[in-house]
Structures are given as structure tokens and as C-alpha cells.
């Protein structure tokens, strides 16, 4: 439990070394306590840790923070999940509504994922239009869902040509401690697994859909995509699961999405940044597989811990 | 009630009351962008999560959210020592995760925001506790749920500073006799004192 304290001591030991130079007139170093050093030269602060093979919060380079998953906190939603990775907290709610299908696809329902980074979660966001990061992650989640055929949208059909389900998957970040992408996608999958739809029937005469009060129908999810994110510091050092302190100083980030059972790669996101050497990528893939297993286990534990989905009381 | 839930914020609080779930973060005091005004201000932002109610809410701010943002500001400004933070803004951001009764939700938001302000160390004359009441045919009931709201004739939300015995904000909707209103006010004041005790306990636990 003394991880961060040890790390701070290591950092201050390094800072103290520069303090010792104050006697030598040749090198003009001056001493700073770790907190101040972190504020005025954050990149160097992290670099000092990484050169010793640890990170500012005490983790090793390849260590992920534990993912805590809990289902069913929001009773107004058809399915909900809360995921905590370190400080990062996101909550996902799935709401199902009825809508008319597109004329060219009369049996297909819709899945609409969206991540919201409200000003609540971090001082860098202000009220107004959604920030770029939120839009990027939302778009990536949408692509993964479509490309890996997570759910056959035809199972969302109520009456061909007249009524289909649309699943609005809304993810709200409550605390931005870094690596929101992982937390958001895990929450999305967990909430979808928890989702229960009511039985629906379309009445042609009145052109309406009636639903039962109880929600009993689970979704037929074909796969379990698990995201794993790494950051790269100074073009060469690969770190797993970056925190919000490390994120601004990374040269690039890479997110792998793996299937929990088959280990197929379902998506990779590397938004620009520096090029990665092939062996770095291969090493990252291996770590990603191990992490995906851990997360998948946590997810199934959370699902079995919850009793059957939210029914109306 | 829990404080310190948002690591990045200066102060934060999370409150659950039955099914109701509200989170609040406070950032500040920050320099006001347009600092022509000498005194400090509160920037209140009230938001419902899309999955919080029976029907999904969009991301655009609707009239209800704007109204509640204003109520937050009106209920909390008398309590905050704005004279001590000139040319600065304290941003109060409320996010409702699950709602169960709109009046109760507003009351919970005010209480939660108070807690978050205290957690942030913003100077205040007292923490504000808020309570909602609903008018039914024969009685006044405290803290109506969403289901009960369907049957009520009107509602009242009271924000109160127990240590000073001062009301910061009252809003009533619906039609009722003045005797019933007085009764509702008294009930709410009592309830607010009890809520205040719980708030003090959770703040002390965190210190």
C-alpha cells in the first residue's frame, strides 16, 4: 500500500541529487520538493520515474489498474453498469425506445453509443458542445460495435417496416483519472449484458406498440469485446493504462479491442502520434491479451453477482 | 451522502435518497472570464443524465435544466461568502444519475451542491439543506417519489440554513390554501434540520 509513497520518495531522492549539486558552483542546480517539481516540469517528473522503471503512482510500466465493475445501479434504465479503473469512474445506462426503421432496412434496429465528458469530471471541460475526445471515443465504439457484429440488429425488430428498438447507450464520465476509453467500453459491454427489454407487440389497427411492464428479454450478444489501452512516452517507453497526469505528456496512445474468448482482434485505435516499432507493438499485444482475460473474468464475476436484470417492482 | 468522489475537483459530493442519485462537483474559485463585476459569482450547471428518467433526455439543455440551474444559484448564493472571492467564479456542476420525483430531485441537488461546496472549502455562512413536500388531497407529504407526484395537487421545495434559522429559497407550484402552505413550510423546516445533521456527520467523517 506504500506504492505512491515509495515512488514519491524515489522521486524526491532523484530531486535531492540535484539539490546536492548546489554546493558545486559549476552546475547551477537548485532543489525543489517533488510537488512543486511536478507542477512546473511535469514531463521531466514522469521521465525521472520511468527511467527507474516505475511510474509516478508506483506501478510498473506494464501494470494495469484494477477494473471494478458493478451492474444495475440505475433502475430507470433498461441496463446499467458502473466501471471504476483507479480514479476514473464512468456510468453507462442503456435506454430502449421504439422507432420506425429505415425504409432500406425494414427489420434493422439501431444501436447508438455515446460518451459524455461533462465539466463535472475534470477541470479541462466546460459546459457546451462535447469535447473532441468524447466524440472520438464515441465514434470508435460505434465502429467496433458495427464491425464486430456485436448484436444482430435484426433481433431488435418488433414489426418489420413499422417498429424497431433503438438502444441508446449513454456513458457519462464522473471522474476523469485517465484512460476513459477503456472504462467507457467496458461499461458499454457490461451494460449491454445487463440490458433486458420488455416484450413488445405491434398493433396494426392503432399503429402503436404495446410493451409489457416486466423486462425479461436479454440481448443476444455475439461477442465480448474488451478494450486495452497503452500510452507511449518519449517515443519509446510503453506504459499500460495511463493516468490523467501522464496522458498530456504521451507521444501517442494505442487501444486494442480483443474478444474475451477467442482473442481475436476486434479493433485497434491509434490516433496519430509517433510511429511504433514492431517489437513494441507485439509486446503490447501480448500484454493486452493477458489484461483482456483479467477484465473478462471481472466482468463475468460482476454479472453473476447481480441477480436477473431490472424488472419493474 | 459521500464527499470527495471526484478526484479532479476542488470539492465534490454524491448523494443517494431511495432511488434518487445525484453527483455534484465544485471547481473554484476560478478567475471570472469577464471580470467587469467586482463581486464573486456562482456558476451553476444542472444536468440530467440521458438515462436518469422514464424517457431518455437529449444532450441539449432543455427548459427544465435551465430553470433548475437558476434555482440552484438562487438557493446557494445567500449562503456562500461571495464577498470573500471578488472577481472569481465558483463553478457548481450537478449531474443527476437517476431521478425519482422532480421536486425531490431538485431538493437533493441543492443539498448535494452544499456538501460539495463545503468539501471544496468555500467559505459559507452555513450549509444549505433542502427538502421537498407534496400536497395531496388531505395531507402534506414530505419527499414525494415519482409515482406519488402523479397524484399530487402541488409541490413545495424549501432551502434552509438551520444554524441561522433562515430560508434561502422557496418555490411552490400548484394550488393550495395558505394554511396548508404554512403546514408544509413547517414540516420542511423540521426535515431540513434533520438533513443538516446528516450532512454535518458526513463532512466530519471525511475530515
Amino acid at each position: 500500500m506504500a506504492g505512491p509513497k515509495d515512488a514519491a520518495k524515489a522521486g524526491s531522492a532523484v530531486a535531492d541529487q540535484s539539490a546536492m549539486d548546489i554546493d558545486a558552483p559549476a552546475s547551477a542546480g537548485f532543489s525543489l520538493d517533488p510537488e512543486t517539481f511536478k507542477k512546473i516540469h511535469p514531463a521531466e517528473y514522469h521521465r525521472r520515474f520511468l527511467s527507474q522503471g516505475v511510474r509516478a503512482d508506483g506501478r510498473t510500466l506494464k501494470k494495469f489498474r484494477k477494473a471494478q465493475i458493478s451492474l444495475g445501479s440505475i433502475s430507470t434504465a433498461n441496463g446499467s453498469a458502473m466501471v471504476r479503473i483507479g480514479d476514473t469512474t464512468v456510468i453507462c445506462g442503456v435506454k430502449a425506445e421504439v422507432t420506425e426503421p429505415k425504409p432500406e432496412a425494414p427489420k434493422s434496429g439501431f444501436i447508438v453509443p455515446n460518451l459524455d465528458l461533462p465539466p463535472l469530471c475534470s477541470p479541462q471541460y466546460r459546459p457546451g458542445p462535447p469535447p473532441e475526445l468524447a466524440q472520438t471515443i464515441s465514434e470508435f465504439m460505434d465502429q467496433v460495435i458495427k464491425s464486430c457484429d456485436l448484436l444482430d440488429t435484426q433481433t431488435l425488430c418488433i414489426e418489420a417496416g413499422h417498429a424497431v428498438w433503438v438502444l441508446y447507450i449513454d456513458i457519462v464520465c464522473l471522474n476523469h483519472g485517465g484512460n476513459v476509453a477503456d472504462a467507457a467500453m467496458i461499461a458499454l459491454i457490461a451494460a449491454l449484458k445487463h440490458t433486458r427489454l420488455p416484450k413488445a407487440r405491434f398493433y396494426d389497427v392503432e399503429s402503436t406498440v404495446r410493451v409489457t411492464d416486466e423486462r425479461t428479454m436479454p440481448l443476444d450478444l455475439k461477442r465480448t469485446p474488451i478494450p486495452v489501452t497503452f500510452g507511449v512516452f518519449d517515443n519509446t517507453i510503453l506504459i499500460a493504462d495511463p493516468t490523467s497526469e501522464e496522458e498530456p505528456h504521451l507521444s501517442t496512445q494505442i487501444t486494442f479491442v480483443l474478444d474475451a474468448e477467442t482473442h481475436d482482434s476486434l479493433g485497434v485505435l491509434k490516433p496519430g502520434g509517433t510511429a511504433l516499432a514492431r517489437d513494441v507493438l507485439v509486446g503490447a499485444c501480448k500484454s493486452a491479451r493477458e489484461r483482456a482475460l483479467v477484465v473478462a473474468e471481472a466482468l463475468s464475476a460482476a454479472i453473476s453477482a447481480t441477480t436477473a436484470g431490472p424488472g419493474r417492482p | 451522502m459521500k464527499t470527495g468522489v471526484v478526484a479532479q475537483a476542488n470539492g465534490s459530493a454524491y448523494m443517494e435518497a431511495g432511488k434518487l442519485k445525484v453527483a455534484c462537483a465544485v471547481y473554484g474559485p476560478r478567475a471570472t472570464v469577464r471580470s467587469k463585476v467586482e463581486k464573486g459569482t456562482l456558476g451553476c450547471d444542472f444536468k440530467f443524465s440521458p438515462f436518469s428518467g422514464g424517457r431518455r433526455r437529449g444532450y441539449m439543455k432543455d427548459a427544465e435544466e435551465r430553470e433548475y440551474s437558476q434555482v440552484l444559484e438562487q438557493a446557494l448564493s445567500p449562503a456562500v461568502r461571495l464577498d470573500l472571492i471578488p472577481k472569481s467564479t465558483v463553478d457548481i456542476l450537478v449531474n443527476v444519475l437517476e431521478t425519482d420525483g422532480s421536486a425531490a430531485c431538485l431538493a437533493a441537488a441543492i443539498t448535494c451542491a452544499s456538501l460539495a461546496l463545503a468539501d471544496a472549502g468555500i467559505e459559507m455562512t452555513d450549509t444549505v439543506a433542502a427538502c421537498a413536500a407534496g400536497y395531496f388531497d388531505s395531507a402534506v407529504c414530505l419527499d414525494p417519489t415519482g409515482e406519488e407526484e402523479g397524484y399530487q395537487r402541488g409541490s413545495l421545495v424549501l432551502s434552509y440554513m438551520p444554524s441561522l434559522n433562515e430560508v434561502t429559497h422557496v418555490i411552490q407550484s400548484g394550488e393550495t390554501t395558505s394554511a396548508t402552505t404554512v403546514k408544509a413550510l413547517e414540516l420542511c423546516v423540521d426535515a431540513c434540520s434533520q438533513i443538516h445533521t446528516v450532512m454535518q456527520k458526513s463532512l466530519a467523517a471525511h475530515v
Side-chain angles (χ1 to χ4, degrees), chain A residues 264-305:
Chain A
D264 291 340
S265 172
L266 301 174
V268 178
L269 176 69
K270 185 184 170 299
T274 55
L276 281 179
R278 181 207 273 194
D279 46 344
V280 172
L281 262 179
V282 169
C285 267
K286 260 185 72 188
S287 296
R289 246 175 261 147
E290 290 161 16
R291 165 71 168 177
L293 274 173
V294 171
V295 173
E297 256 178 55
L299 183 56
S300 20
I303 292 171
S304 36

mmCIF file of all heavy atoms in Angstrom, chain A residues 264-305:
data_model
loop_
_atom_site.group_PDB
_atom_site.id
_atom_site.type_symbol
_atom_site.label_atom_id
_atom_site.label_comp_id
_atom_site.label_asym_id
_atom_site.label_seq_id
_atom_site.Cartn_x
_atom_site.Cartn_y
_atom_site.Cartn_z
ATOM 1 N N ASP A 264 -9.531 -12.785 -30.694
ATOM 2 C CA ASP A 264 -9.457 -12.083 -31.983
ATOM 3 C C ASP A 264 -9.328 -10.599 -31.723
ATOM 4 O O ASP A 264 -9.863 -10.078 -30.749
ATOM 5 C CB ASP A 264 -10.756 -12.293 -32.772
ATOM 6 C CG ASP A 264 -10.905 -13.723 -33.241
ATOM 7 O OD1 ASP A 264 -9.872 -14.425 -33.301
ATOM 8 O OD2 ASP A 264 -12.040 -14.117 -33.533
ATOM 9 N N SER A 265 -8.653 -9.951 -32.645
ATOM 10 C CA SER A 265 -8.574 -8.505 -32.520
ATOM 11 C C SER A 265 -9.802 -7.907 -33.189
ATOM 12 O O SER A 265 -10.071 -8.165 -34.353
ATOM 13 C CB SER A 265 -7.303 -8.007 -33.203
ATOM 14 O OG SER A 265 -7.318 -6.601 -33.240
ATOM 15 N N LEU A 266 -10.571 -7.147 -32.437
ATOM 16 C CA LEU A 266 -11.797 -6.587 -32.989
ATOM 17 C C LEU A 266 -11.635 -5.126 -33.369
ATOM 18 O O LEU A 266 -12.519 -4.529 -33.949
ATOM 19 C CB LEU A 266 -12.937 -6.714 -31.968
ATOM 20 C CG LEU A 266 -13.234 -8.144 -31.541
ATOM 21 C CD1 LEU A 266 -14.254 -8.159 -30.427
ATOM 22 C CD2 LEU A 266 -13.748 -8.945 -32.722
ATOM 23 N N GLY A 267 -10.546 -4.553 -33.010
ATOM 24 C CA GLY A 267 -10.343 -3.154 -33.379
ATOM 25 C C GLY A 267 -9.054 -2.635 -32.770
ATOM 26 O O GLY A 267 -8.628 -3.091 -31.714
ATOM 27 N N VAL A 268 -8.449 -1.702 -33.466
ATOM 28 C CA VAL A 268 -7.253 -1.055 -32.941
ATOM 29 C C VAL A 268 -7.416 0.431 -33.218
ATOM 30 O O VAL A 268 -7.815 0.825 -34.315
ATOM 31 C CB VAL A 268 -5.965 -1.562 -33.633
ATOM 32 C CG1 VAL A 268 -4.751 -0.820 -33.093
ATOM 33 C CG2 VAL A 268 -5.798 -3.049 -33.431
ATOM 34 N N LEU A 269 -7.127 1.235 -32.215
ATOM 35 C CA LEU A 269 -7.194 2.680 -32.423
ATOM 36 C C LEU A 269 -5.869 3.287 -32.040
ATOM 37 O O LEU A 269 -5.412 3.137 -30.906
ATOM 38 C CB LEU A 269 -8.317 3.287 -31.564
ATOM 39 C CG LEU A 269 -8.427 4.809 -31.611
ATOM 40 C CD1 LEU A 269 -8.894 5.281 -32.971
ATOM 41 C CD2 LEU A 269 -9.393 5.304 -30.543
ATOM 42 N N LYS A 270 -5.247 3.946 -32.989
ATOM 43 C CA LYS A 270 -4.001 4.641 -32.684
ATOM 44 C C LYS A 270 -4.122 6.022 -33.323
ATOM 45 O O LYS A 270 -3.783 6.206 -34.482
ATOM 46 C CB LYS A 270 -2.803 3.879 -33.240
ATOM 47 C CG LYS A 270 -1.485 4.545 -32.821
ATOM 48 C CD LYS A 270 -0.318 3.844 -33.458
ATOM 49 C CE LYS A 270 0.964 4.630 -33.261
ATOM 50 N NZ LYS A 270 0.937 5.976 -33.849
ATOM 51 N N PRO A 271 -4.635 6.979 -32.562
ATOM 52 C CA PRO A 271 -4.899 8.281 -33.161
ATOM 53 C C PRO A 271 -3.625 9.099 -33.358
ATOM 54 O O PRO A 271 -3.226 9.864 -32.496
ATOM 55 C CB PRO A 271 -5.834 8.952 -32.140
ATOM 56 C CG PRO A 271 -5.561 8.274 -30.851
ATOM 57 C CD PRO A 271 -5.038 6.924 -31.146
ATOM 58 N N GLY A 272 -2.970 8.921 -34.461
ATOM 59 C CA GLY A 272 -1.814 9.750 -34.795
ATOM 60 C C GLY A 272 -0.652 9.531 -33.858
ATOM 61 O O GLY A 272 -0.458 8.463 -33.302
ATOM 62 N N GLY A 273 0.131 10.548 -33.643
ATOM 63 C CA GLY A 273 1.285 10.442 -32.758
ATOM 64 C C GLY A 273 2.459 9.784 -33.456
ATOM 65 O O GLY A 273 2.454 9.576 -34.661
ATOM 66 N N THR A 274 3.482 9.416 -32.675
ATOM 67 C CA THR A 274 4.708 8.892 -33.275
ATOM 68 C C THR A 274 4.528 7.445 -33.717
ATOM 69 O O THR A 274 3.636 6.750 -33.258
ATOM 70 C CB THR A 274 5.852 8.932 -32.260
ATOM 71 O OG1 THR A 274 5.408 8.216 -31.098
ATOM 72 C CG2 THR A 274 6.177 10.343 -31.873
ATOM 73 N N ALA A 275 5.426 7.014 -34.569
ATOM 74 C CA ALA A 275 5.373 5.638 -35.066
ATOM 75 C C ALA A 275 5.844 4.687 -33.982
ATOM 76 O O ALA A 275 6.650 5.041 -33.125
ATOM 77 C CB ALA A 275 6.257 5.511 -36.300
ATOM 78 N N LEU A 276 5.320 3.467 -33.996
ATOM 79 C CA LEU A 276 5.719 2.468 -33.012
ATOM 80 C C LEU A 276 6.533 1.377 -33.680
ATOM 81 O O LEU A 276 6.157 0.902 -34.748
ATOM 82 C CB LEU A 276 4.475 1.819 -32.381
ATOM 83 C CG LEU A 276 3.760 2.610 -31.295
ATOM 84 C CD1 LEU A 276 2.561 1.829 -30.821
ATOM 85 C CD2 LEU A 276 4.681 2.909 -30.149
ATOM 86 N N ALA A 277 7.596 0.958 -33.017
ATOM 87 C CA ALA A 277 8.393 -0.146 -33.560
ATOM 88 C C ALA A 277 7.604 -1.433 -33.463
ATOM 89 O O ALA A 277 6.729 -1.579 -32.626
ATOM 90 C CB ALA A 277 9.691 -0.267 -32.759
ATOM 91 N N ARG A 278 7.922 -2.378 -34.353
ATOM 92 C CA ARG A 278 7.126 -3.601 -34.417
ATOM 93 C C ARG A 278 7.215 -4.417 -33.141
ATOM 94 O O ARG A 278 6.208 -4.934 -32.668
ATOM 95 C CB ARG A 278 7.586 -4.442 -35.603
ATOM 96 C CG ARG A 278 6.752 -5.703 -35.680
ATOM 97 C CD ARG A 278 7.471 -6.808 -36.315
ATOM 98 N NE ARG A 278 7.302 -6.744 -37.759
ATOM 99 C CZ ARG A 278 7.601 -7.748 -38.563
ATOM 100 N NH1 ARG A 278 8.079 -8.853 -38.072
ATOM 101 N NH2 ARG A 278 7.434 -7.630 -39.855
ATOM 102 N N ASP A 279 8.416 -4.510 -32.532
ATOM 103 C CA ASP A 279 8.507 -5.343 -31.328
ATOM 104 C C ASP A 279 7.739 -4.714 -30.167
ATOM 105 O O ASP A 279 7.204 -5.424 -29.304
ATOM 106 C CB ASP A 279 9.959 -5.638 -30.950
ATOM 107 C CG ASP A 279 10.830 -4.402 -30.997
ATOM 108 O OD1 ASP A 279 10.403 -3.405 -31.606
ATOM 109 O OD2 ASP A 279 11.929 -4.431 -30.428
ATOM 110 N N VAL A 280 7.676 -3.380 -30.149
ATOM 111 C CA VAL A 280 6.867 -2.714 -29.117
ATOM 112 C C VAL A 280 5.404 -3.115 -29.277
ATOM 113 O O VAL A 280 4.708 -3.447 -28.322
ATOM 114 C CB VAL A 280 7.024 -1.176 -29.208
ATOM 115 C CG1 VAL A 280 6.054 -0.487 -28.294
ATOM 116 C CG2 VAL A 280 8.454 -0.779 -28.874
ATOM 117 N N LEU A 281 4.945 -3.115 -30.531
ATOM 118 C CA LEU A 281 3.555 -3.480 -30.816
ATOM 119 C C LEU A 281 3.268 -4.922 -30.400
ATOM 120 O O LEU A 281 2.242 -5.219 -29.794
ATOM 121 C CB LEU A 281 3.279 -3.347 -32.313
ATOM 122 C CG LEU A 281 2.591 -2.064 -32.780
ATOM 123 C CD1 LEU A 281 2.434 -2.095 -34.286
ATOM 124 C CD2 LEU A 281 1.229 -1.937 -32.132
ATOM 125 N N VAL A 282 4.195 -5.808 -30.754
ATOM 126 C CA VAL A 282 3.986 -7.222 -30.437
ATOM 127 C C VAL A 282 3.928 -7.415 -28.927
ATOM 128 O O VAL A 282 3.080 -8.141 -28.403
ATOM 129 C CB VAL A 282 5.103 -8.082 -31.069
ATOM 130 C CG1 VAL A 282 5.060 -9.501 -30.525
ATOM 131 C CG2 VAL A 282 4.962 -8.096 -32.576
ATOM 132 N N GLY A 283 4.858 -6.754 -28.209
ATOM 133 C CA GLY A 283 4.846 -6.837 -26.747
ATOM 134 C C GLY A 283 3.531 -6.323 -26.181
ATOM 135 O O GLY A 283 2.955 -6.905 -25.261
ATOM 136 N N ALA A 284 3.070 -5.223 -26.773
ATOM 137 C CA ALA A 284 1.812 -4.644 -26.307
ATOM 138 C C ALA A 284 0.664 -5.616 -26.527
ATOM 139 O O ALA A 284 -0.203 -5.780 -25.659
ATOM 140 C CB ALA A 284 1.540 -3.331 -27.032
ATOM 141 N N CYS A 285 0.647 -6.273 -27.677
ATOM 142 C CA CYS A 285 -0.418 -7.240 -27.981
ATOM 143 C C CYS A 285 -0.477 -8.339 -26.931
ATOM 144 O O CYS A 285 -1.547 -8.729 -26.476
ATOM 145 C CB CYS A 285 -0.162 -7.899 -29.343
ATOM 146 S SG CYS A 285 -0.989 -7.069 -30.662
ATOM 147 N N LYS A 286 0.711 -8.829 -26.552
ATOM 148 C CA LYS A 286 0.758 -9.909 -25.564
ATOM 149 C C LYS A 286 0.190 -9.454 -24.229
ATOM 150 O O LYS A 286 -0.653 -10.106 -23.632
ATOM 151 C CB LYS A 286 2.206 -10.368 -25.360
ATOM 152 C CG LYS A 286 2.544 -11.633 -26.124
ATOM 153 C CD LYS A 286 3.930 -12.139 -25.828
ATOM 154 C CE LYS A 286 4.035 -12.741 -24.439
ATOM 155 N NZ LYS A 286 5.429 -13.070 -24.092
ATOM 156 N N SER A 287 0.642 -8.267 -23.767
ATOM 157 C CA SER A 287 0.106 -7.732 -22.508
ATOM 158 C C SER A 287 -1.391 -7.544 -22.610
ATOM 159 O O SER A 287 -2.128 -7.787 -21.652
ATOM 160 C CB SER A 287 0.731 -6.379 -22.191
ATOM 161 O OG SER A 287 2.087 -6.493 -21.974
ATOM 162 N N ALA A 288 -1.821 -7.102 -23.783
ATOM 163 C CA ALA A 288 -3.246 -6.828 -23.974
ATOM 164 C C ALA A 288 -4.061 -8.095 -23.783
ATOM 165 O O ALA A 288 -5.132 -8.073 -23.169
ATOM 166 C CB ALA A 288 -3.485 -6.234 -25.358
ATOM 167 N N ARG A 289 -3.544 -9.210 -24.300
ATOM 168 C CA ARG A 289 -4.281 -10.465 -24.166
ATOM 169 C C ARG A 289 -4.449 -10.851 -22.708
ATOM 170 O O ARG A 289 -5.519 -11.274 -22.267
ATOM 171 C CB ARG A 289 -3.567 -11.583 -24.917
ATOM 172 C CG ARG A 289 -4.371 -12.083 -26.083
ATOM 173 C CD ARG A 289 -3.634 -13.082 -26.897
ATOM 174 N NE ARG A 289 -3.051 -12.467 -28.063
ATOM 175 C CZ ARG A 289 -1.900 -12.840 -28.611
ATOM 176 N NH1 ARG A 289 -1.193 -13.799 -28.083
ATOM 177 N NH2 ARG A 289 -1.448 -12.234 -29.684
ATOM 178 N N GLU A 290 -3.360 -10.683 -21.934
ATOM 179 C CA GLU A 290 -3.448 -11.036 -20.507
ATOM 180 C C GLU A 290 -4.451 -10.156 -19.790
ATOM 181 O O GLU A 290 -5.270 -10.611 -18.998
ATOM 182 C CB GLU A 290 -2.077 -10.868 -19.848
ATOM 183 C CG GLU A 290 -1.069 -11.910 -20.296
ATOM 184 C CD GLU A 290 0.359 -11.460 -20.011
ATOM 185 O OE1 GLU A 290 0.543 -10.512 -19.222
ATOM 186 O OE2 GLU A 290 1.264 -12.067 -20.587
ATOM 187 N N ARG A 291 -4.389 -8.852 -20.102
ATOM 188 C CA ARG A 291 -5.298 -7.916 -19.450
ATOM 189 C C ARG A 291 -6.747 -8.221 -19.833
ATOM 190 O O ARG A 291 -7.654 -8.157 -19.004
ATOM 191 C CB ARG A 291 -4.929 -6.496 -19.864
ATOM 192 C CG ARG A 291 -5.966 -5.455 -19.565
ATOM 193 C CD ARG A 291 -6.107 -5.156 -18.108
ATOM 194 N NE ARG A 291 -6.915 -3.951 -17.886
ATOM 195 C CZ ARG A 291 -7.252 -3.494 -16.704
ATOM 196 N NH1 ARG A 291 -6.865 -4.134 -15.627
ATOM 197 N NH2 ARG A 291 -7.967 -2.397 -16.602
ATOM 198 N N ALA A 292 -6.974 -8.576 -21.099
ATOM 199 C CA ALA A 292 -8.337 -8.861 -21.557
ATOM 200 C C ALA A 292 -8.932 -10.019 -20.757
ATOM 201 O O ALA A 292 -10.106 -10.004 -20.388
ATOM 202 C CB ALA A 292 -8.347 -9.169 -23.046
ATOM 203 N N LEU A 293 -8.089 -11.015 -20.459
ATOM 204 C CA LEU A 293 -8.567 -12.160 -19.661
ATOM 205 C C LEU A 293 -8.987 -11.714 -18.272
ATOM 206 O O LEU A 293 -10.055 -12.096 -17.769
ATOM 207 C CB LEU A 293 -7.445 -13.189 -19.514
ATOM 208 C CG LEU A 293 -7.326 -14.198 -20.639
ATOM 209 C CD1 LEU A 293 -6.081 -15.035 -20.441
ATOM 210 C CD2 LEU A 293 -8.549 -15.098 -20.682
ATOM 211 N N VAL A 294 -8.145 -10.870 -17.659
ATOM 212 C CA VAL A 294 -8.439 -10.399 -16.304
ATOM 213 C C VAL A 294 -9.753 -9.633 -16.278
ATOM 214 O O VAL A 294 -10.614 -9.829 -15.421
ATOM 215 C CB VAL A 294 -7.272 -9.516 -15.793
ATOM 216 C CG1 VAL A 294 -7.645 -8.839 -14.499
ATOM 217 C CG2 VAL A 294 -6.024 -10.351 -15.616
ATOM 218 N N VAL A 295 -9.906 -8.729 -17.253
ATOM 219 C CA VAL A 295 -11.119 -7.904 -17.297
ATOM 220 C C VAL A 295 -12.347 -8.765 -17.562
ATOM 221 O O VAL A 295 -13.402 -8.572 -16.956
ATOM 222 C CB VAL A 295 -10.991 -6.801 -18.367
ATOM 223 C CG1 VAL A 295 -12.309 -6.056 -18.534
ATOM 224 C CG2 VAL A 295 -9.908 -5.822 -17.990
ATOM 225 N N ALA A 296 -12.200 -9.748 -18.478
ATOM 226 C CA ALA A 296 -13.342 -10.612 -18.796
ATOM 227 C C ALA A 296 -13.795 -11.373 -17.557
ATOM 228 O O ALA A 296 -14.992 -11.548 -17.317
ATOM 229 C CB ALA A 296 -12.967 -11.573 -19.917
ATOM 230 N N GLU A 297 -12.806 -11.815 -16.747
ATOM 231 C CA GLU A 297 -13.159 -12.513 -15.512
ATOM 232 C C GLU A 297 -13.913 -11.603 -14.566
ATOM 233 O O GLU A 297 -14.924 -11.983 -13.978
ATOM 234 C CB GLU A 297 -11.878 -12.967 -14.813
ATOM 235 C CG GLU A 297 -11.590 -14.437 -14.955
ATOM 236 C CD GLU A 297 -10.276 -14.787 -14.285
ATOM 237 O OE1 GLU A 297 -10.142 -14.484 -13.093
ATOM 238 O OE2 GLU A 297 -9.418 -15.334 -14.986
ATOM 239 N N ALA A 298 -13.398 -10.360 -14.430
ATOM 240 C CA ALA A 298 -14.071 -9.405 -13.542
ATOM 241 C C ALA A 298 -15.487 -9.161 -14.021
ATOM 242 O O ALA A 298 -16.429 -9.061 -13.230
ATOM 243 C CB ALA A 298 -13.286 -8.089 -13.495
ATOM 244 N N LEU A 299 -15.656 -9.100 -15.341
ATOM 245 C CA LEU A 299 -16.973 -8.842 -15.915
ATOM 246 C C LEU A 299 -17.924 -9.988 -15.612
ATOM 247 O O LEU A 299 -19.061 -9.770 -15.186
ATOM 248 C CB LEU A 299 -16.841 -8.641 -17.425
ATOM 249 C CG LEU A 299 -18.099 -8.280 -18.203
ATOM 250 C CD1 LEU A 299 -18.751 -7.043 -17.639
ATOM 251 C CD2 LEU A 299 -17.756 -8.051 -19.665
ATOM 252 N N SER A 300 -17.486 -11.236 -15.808
ATOM 253 C CA SER A 300 -18.403 -12.345 -15.524
ATOM 254 C C SER A 300 -18.691 -12.466 -14.044
ATOM 255 O O SER A 300 -19.806 -12.827 -13.655
ATOM 256 C CB SER A 300 -17.905 -13.684 -16.077
ATOM 257 O OG SER A 300 -16.562 -13.673 -16.325
ATOM 258 N N ALA A 301 -17.711 -12.117 -13.202
ATOM 259 C CA ALA A 301 -17.976 -12.121 -11.762
ATOM 260 C C ALA A 301 -19.056 -11.104 -11.423
ATOM 261 O O ALA A 301 -19.970 -11.376 -10.645
ATOM 262 C CB ALA A 301 -16.693 -11.805 -10.994
ATOM 263 N N ALA A 302 -18.972 -9.921 -12.056
ATOM 264 C CA ALA A 302 -19.960 -8.870 -11.784
ATOM 265 C C ALA A 302 -21.340 -9.302 -12.258
ATOM 266 O O ALA A 302 -22.348 -9.033 -11.607
ATOM 267 C CB ALA A 302 -19.544 -7.576 -12.470
ATOM 268 N N ILE A 303 -21.383 -9.993 -13.409
ATOM 269 C CA ILE A 303 -22.680 -10.404 -13.945
ATOM 270 C C ILE A 303 -23.319 -11.449 -13.043
ATOM 271 O O ILE A 303 -24.513 -11.392 -12.745
ATOM 272 C CB ILE A 303 -22.518 -10.962 -15.378
ATOM 273 C CG1 ILE A 303 -22.118 -9.840 -16.319
ATOM 274 C CG2 ILE A 303 -23.814 -11.599 -15.860
ATOM 275 C CD1 ILE A 303 -21.734 -10.314 -17.697
ATOM 276 N N SER A 304 -22.519 -12.422 -12.567
ATOM 277 C CA SER A 304 -23.126 -13.445 -11.712
ATOM 278 C C SER A 304 -23.470 -12.898 -10.344
ATOM 279 O O SER A 304 -24.360 -13.398 -9.676
ATOM 280 C CB SER A 304 -22.223 -14.670 -11.600
ATOM 281 O OG SER A 304 -20.876 -14.304 -11.585
ATOM 282 N N ALA A 305 -22.796 -11.796 -9.940
ATOM 283 C CA ALA A 305 -23.115 -11.211 -8.645
ATOM 284 C C ALA A 305 -24.468 -10.523 -8.658
ATOM 285 O O ALA A 305 -25.152 -10.428 -7.655
ATOM 286 C CB ALA A 305 -22.030 -10.204 -8.239
#
